[in-house]
Amino acid sequence: MSRAGFVAVLGRPNVGKSTFVNRLVGQKVSIVSDKPQTTRNRILAVVNRPGGQLVLFDTPGIHKPLHRMNQRMVETAVRSLEQVDAALWIVDVKQGYGPGDRYVSDLLKRSGKPLVLGLNKIDAVPKPRILPLIDTYRRMLAFEDIVPLSALSGENVELVGERLLALLPEGPPLFPEEYLTDLPERFFVAEIVREKVVQFTRDEIPYTTGVVIESFEEGEALVRIEATIFVERGGHKGILIGSKGEMLKRIGSAARHEIEAFLGTKLFLGLFVKVRPNWREDPQLLEQMGLGRRG
Ligand code: GDP
Ligand code: MG
C-alpha cells in the first residue's frame, strides 16, 4: 500500500525547517529552494520512500514576524494549509515556547489537518528540558505525534518522515520519482489547468489534453504564466475555445482562481490551444510537461 500527499512544513524562522528538509531528502539537496519568495507557497521537496511520496511545502505566511502578521497573511496561511494533507510544525527547543506559538497553534487548529510536532535541536539542550516542552505543546493542540529530533545530527528525522507519511491518503505518487528542482510548481499549475479542461468540457475531450507551461515569471505583485493546451484534433480545439472563446475564458478564469489561491499571489494567466496529433508520443513535450526523464 502506497501513500502520497502534500505536507506543510511550518514554524518560525531559524527553527531548522530547511535543515530538516535537507536531511530528509538526503543527497538531493538541490531540490530545496531558497529563492526569495514572492509566491507564498513553494514546494520545498519531493521525498520518495518505499511507503510512498511526501511533497513538502514551505508556508512563508508563518515565517514572518508574528507581531506584524496581519489578517490577510493569516488568511493566506490558512488557505495554504487547506491545500495540504498534513502539517509539520517545527519548533526549536533551544528557544522553547515563545510568544508566536499561540498564533501558529490557532492557525493549525482552524485548519483541522492532522499535525505532527517536531521538537528540533535536541542535540543542543539537556534532556530534562525537553519533557516539560512536550507537555506545554501537547496542551495546546491535538497532535498525531510529537517527535523530538535533531535535524542537524539526523536523529529521528526519518521517523518524522514516517509519521507524516502515515497521515497521507493512499494513492500513487503525485510526481515522477526522479522529480527534481522547483519544477513541481509548474507541474502543479499545469495540472490545475488540465483539471479545469476536463471539468468544463466533460467527456468531450477526455484524456487527450496536455498542458505545457511556456513561461513562468514572478514579478513584484503578479505572477505571469503562459500555458499551451495541446489537443490531438482540430475538433477538440474548437470545443476548447468555444464560441467567441467563451469556453477557454471559463477554463482560464477557474484555473486562475485556483492557482492564485495555490501561489498566494495575483496571477496573469495566458492560455493558448494548439493541435498536435500524437503529442503523447513526443518525448520533448512530455519532458516539458514533467513527464519525461524516467528510468
Ligand atoms: P529555517 O529558517 O527554519 O529553515 O532554519 P534553518 O534550517 O536555516 O536552520 C537555522 C539554524 O539552526 C542553522 O544555523 C542550523 O544549522 C541550525 N539548526 C538546524 N537544525 C538544528 C539542530 O537539530 N540542532 C542544532 N544544534 N542546530 C540546528
Ligand atoms: Mg529555511
Side-chain angles (χ1 to χ4, degrees):
M1 179 188 60
S2 171
R3 297 182 181 275
F6 295 96
V7 176
V9 179
L10 15 114
R12 288 187 276 162
N14 291 317
V15 294
K17 295 181 297 294
S18 300
T19 311
F20 167 80
V21 170
N22 280 327
R23 270 282 166 186
L24 193 63
V25 172
Q27 277 109 321
K28 296 172 185 170
V29 215
S30 61
I31 297 175
V32 174
S33 157
D34 265 335
K35 290 181 211 160
Q37 295 169 341
T38 51
T39 58
R40 295 174 197 270
N41 209 347
R42 186 175 289 285
I43 290 174
L44 280 178
V46 178
V47 177
N48 296 296
R49 289 293 180 271
Q53 187 177 69
L54 293 156
V55 182
L56 302 175
F57 267 124
D58 209 349
T59 57
I62 311 183
H63 285 196
K64 308 274 177 177
L66 286 156
H67 54 270
R68 286 198 351 235
M69 197 179 206
N70 59 30
Q71 192 55 30
R72 253 202 81 198
M73 285 168 63
V74 175
E75 293 305 324
T76 305
V78 169
R79 265 212 315 272
S80 64
L81 272 170
E82 280 167 10
Q83 325 261 341
V84 298
D85 301 292
L88 170 65
W89 181 13
I90 298 186
V91 298
D92 177 344
V93 293
K94 276 201 308 191
Q95 292 176 28
Y97 177 83
D101 283 346
R102 172 58 60 188
Y103 228 108
V104 178
S105 129
D106 286 345
L107 276 182
L108 291 173
K109 190 179 275 173
R110 272 172 70 188
S111 80
K113 300 289 171 166
L115 307 169
V116 172
L117 178 69
L119 294 165
N120 191 32
K121 309 196 186 181
I122 56 169
D123 59 281
V125 302
K127 280 235 161 62
R129 266 178 62 189
I130 297 167
L131 281 177
L133 272 180
I134 294 183
D135 260 3
T136 305
Y137 284 100
R138 199 199 299 281
R139 274 199 292 272
M140 295 175 82
L141 268 182
F143 294 102
E144 304 295 324
D145 277 295
I146 297 181
V147 185
L149 77 147
S150 168
L152 201 63
S153 79
E155 189 179 354
N156 281 349
V157 165
E158 198 55 42
L159 183 66
V160 173
E162 276 172 32
R163 296 289 160 84
L164 288 169
L165 194 57
L167 302 176
L168 302 182
E170 285 177 34
L174 299 162
F175 296 102
E177 286 252 330
E178 289 307 308
Y179 223 82
L180 301 179
T181 80
D182 60 350
L183 282 173
E185 199 170 49
R186 286 172 167 243
F187 183 86
F188 207 89
V189 167
E191 279 301 286
I192 291 173
V193 173
R194 208 172 59 83
E195 179 194 286
K196 297 305 163 202
V197 169
V198 173
Q199 194 176 319
F200 286 109
T201 61
R202 300 282 161 82
D203 307 322
E204 293 170 273
I205 313 179
Y207 298 103
T208 55
T209 53
V211 176
V212 166
I213 305 299
E214 308 282 1
S215 66
F216 193 124
E217 290 166 24
E218 292 184 24
E220 279 290 306
L222 186 87
V223 171
R224 288 181 70 92
I225 298 175
E226 294 190 334
T228 302
I229 304 168
F230 285 94
V231 294
E232 298 205 307
R233 293 192 226 139
H236 289 164
K237 180 173 176 175
I239 293 168
L240 254 189
I241 291 175
S243 80
K244 296 181 188 149
E246 198 186 318
M247 176 61 93
L248 195 61
K249 267 188 214 147
R250 279 175 68 198
I251 291 167
S253 156
R256 184 169 53 80
H257 282 114
E258 207 164 311
I259 296 165
E260 281 182 344
F262 169 71
L263 298 176
T265 180
K266 285 274 166 217
L267 173 73
F268 169 84
L269 178 64
L271 291 182
F272 308 91
V273 183
K274 280 186 192 158
V275 181
R276 182 81 57 90
N278 300 322
W279 65 261
R280 282 176 288 186
E281 310 299 327
D282 182 334
Q284 206 185 330
L285 267 187
L286 291 177
E287 172 93 21
Q288 280 178 278
M289 289 175 193
L291 299 172
R293 237 190 327 165
R294 291 201 217 219

